[in-house]
Amino acid sequence: MRDYQEIKSKLRGSVTPVITPFKANHDIDFDTFSSLIEFQLENGTHAISVTGTSGEPSSLTEEERVEVMRTAYKTINGRVPFVPGTGSTNHDETMRLTKKAEEIGADAAMVIVPYYNKSNQQALYKHFKTVADAVEIPIIVYNIPGRTAQNLHVDTLAQLSKDCPNIIGVKESNKDFEHVNRVLLKCGRDFLLFSGIELLCYPMLAIGGVGSVSATANVLPGKVAQMHDAWFDGDVATAQKLHYELMELNDVLFKDTNPAPVKAALGMMGKIEPHLRLPMDLPSEELQNEIRETLNKYGVSLQYV
């Protein structure tokens, strides 16, 4: 049986869910994508994820998702752990993408609770177990009830962690803080708990979480990474300070559906051409102005004002 302790010891801190940049014709801008990953690594990000919620996976074809994973893997080149999102509302597609992530060389795969289907707990157990059993790559379950219309119960996750040695953790985009406390109680304190809710990134560290997958890290990767570094160094005061410093930006970046505000911000910073594929679009002009004002407060250099 494969030993997953090494990757469990490395996979922690700020895992940035890098957005997928598009050109004006809505083709993927792979050169810009690689530059975004370099921007993350230059600013201390601890691991990279792609084709998760922030990467607009439902707007990508299966082939595009594979190419995004392949490009990210080559760009990262082993410098930090690589954890692509491989989940889908379609079970067979999830299987193919997770196997492809393993083939490409990803360190782990993040698999979302299937959206739209509203599967019962038994079906969710079968789905995740079938995926996990088909690969040796470690699996991080991704629970985001606000976008999937289904919450993976703690008991279901605990059974999966017991039955599938390669299910090593969970990203909880779950505002129910009692729920996330019970994850570590039922799954064990060595189970990897990541926050997917920006305002809970610091609190989850306090209960035994190992990091976060925060869309805000696309914009201010340094501050998000520093908050985790401070916590791991035992500098609680600095971690708390950075938690509150990030709060205003966290708030404004989630006044519309992720990743639209993040892409607007990165466009203002000159990092990308701010395009989304329909049925998603940029935020209203009013919100874009608020994002611009917030970035100015943080001293972010803007190329397009």
Side-chain angles (χ1 to χ4, degrees):
M1 182 182 297
R2 182 174 172 181
D3 184 2
Y4 295 101
Q5 290 306 312
E6 182 178 359
I7 184 60
K8 288 178 76 172
S9 68
K10 292 180 178 179
L11 192 53
R12 55 190 59 241
S14 176
V15 184
T16 300
V18 178
I19 59 99
T20 304
F22 298 123
K23 300 176 182 178
N25 65 359
H26 294 107
D27 286 346
I28 297 173
D29 187 342
F30 284 103
D31 289 340
T32 295
F33 178 63
S34 293
S35 72
L36 290 174
I37 292 174
E38 293 294 347
F39 171 61
Q40 290 295 319
L41 300 182
E42 289 164 5
N43 282 276
T45 290
H46 303 106
I48 296 290
S49 183
V50 300
T51 63
T53 302
S54 299
E56 296 173 75
S58 61
S59 296
L60 305 177
T61 67
E62 188 173 335
E63 292 74 18
E64 285 176 325
R65 290 183 68 172
V66 171
E67 193 56 35
V68 167
M69 289 193 289
R70 185 175 287 115
T71 302
Y73 176 77
K74 291 178 179 177
T75 304
I76 295 165
N77 194 27
R79 288 177 285 177
V80 297
F82 173 45
V83 190
T86 60
S88 165
T89 192
N90 180 286
H91 175 77
D92 289 343
E93 182 177 78
T94 300
M95 293 280 285
R96 290 191 297 270
L97 286 167
T98 307
K99 289 178 180 178
K100 184 59 69 172
E102 180 175 46
E103 177 187 316
I104 288 169
D107 295 285
M110 192 171 296
V111 183
I112 195 170
V113 170
Y115 37 93
Y116 184 78
N117 295 312
K118 299 186 74 173
S119 311
N120 62 35
Q121 295 299 305
Q122 177 179 319
L124 291 175
Y125 172 87
K126 289 180 178 179
H127 170 71
F128 282 107
K129 187 174 189 307
T130 303
V131 173
D133 286 349
V135 296
E136 289 191 10
I137 191 172
I139 300 294
I140 306 293
V141 174
Y142 179 13
N143 189 32
I144 179 168
R147 292 184 77 146
T148 63
Q150 181 59 284
N151 188 31
L152 184 68
H153 293 177
V154 172
D155 287 343
T156 306
L157 182 60
Q159 192 63 50
L160 284 164
S161 70
K162 177 182 177 182
D163 296 344
C164 306
N166 59 331
I167 294 183
I168 63 170
V170 64
K171 173 188 174 183
E172 282 285 356
S173 294
N174 198 326
K175 293 184 177 181
D176 183 349
F177 202 56
E178 290 186 12
H179 172 103
V180 297
N181 275 269
R182 292 191 176 100
V183 166
L184 291 182
L185 178 67
K186 292 291 186 72
C187 296
R189 296 287 298 280
D190 64 340
F191 196 67
L192 304 185
L193 173 65
F194 295 90
S195 174
I197 298 290
E198 274 61 24
L199 294 191
L200 294 182
C201 291
Y202 171 76
M204 281 203 199
L205 292 172
I207 65 168
V210 296
S212 67
V213 187
S214 167
T216 301
N218 278 283
V219 179
L220 287 184
K223 277 192 180 293
V224 177
Q226 289 161 20
M227 184 189 73
H228 291 83
D229 288 336
W231 174 260
F232 293 133
D233 288 343
D235 187 352
V236 174
T238 297
Q240 288 179 343
K241 176 175 176 287
L242 288 165
H243 166 69
Y244 286 106
E245 279 185 14
L246 286 163
M247 193 173 292
E248 186 174 358
L249 182 61
N250 287 332
D251 285 344
V252 77
L253 291 180
F254 283 86
K255 287 191 174 183
D256 197 353
T257 304
N258 181 48
V262 169
K263 282 196 160 183
L266 289 172
M268 295 169 196
M269 294 164 65
K271 298 291 184 185
I272 66 169
E273 294 182 43
H275 304 295
L276 294 91
R277 287 179 176 174
L278 293 172
M280 298 191 73
D281 200 0
L282 288 170
S284 67
E285 285 297 325
E286 180 182 5
L287 180 52
Q288 289 193 53
N289 287 334
E290 188 175 350
I291 292 168
R292 188 176 295 107
E293 291 170 3
T294 304
L295 292 174
N296 279 324
K297 289 181 184 178
Y298 282 83
V300 176
S301 176
L302 303 184
Q303 293 193 24
Y304 300 97
V305 297

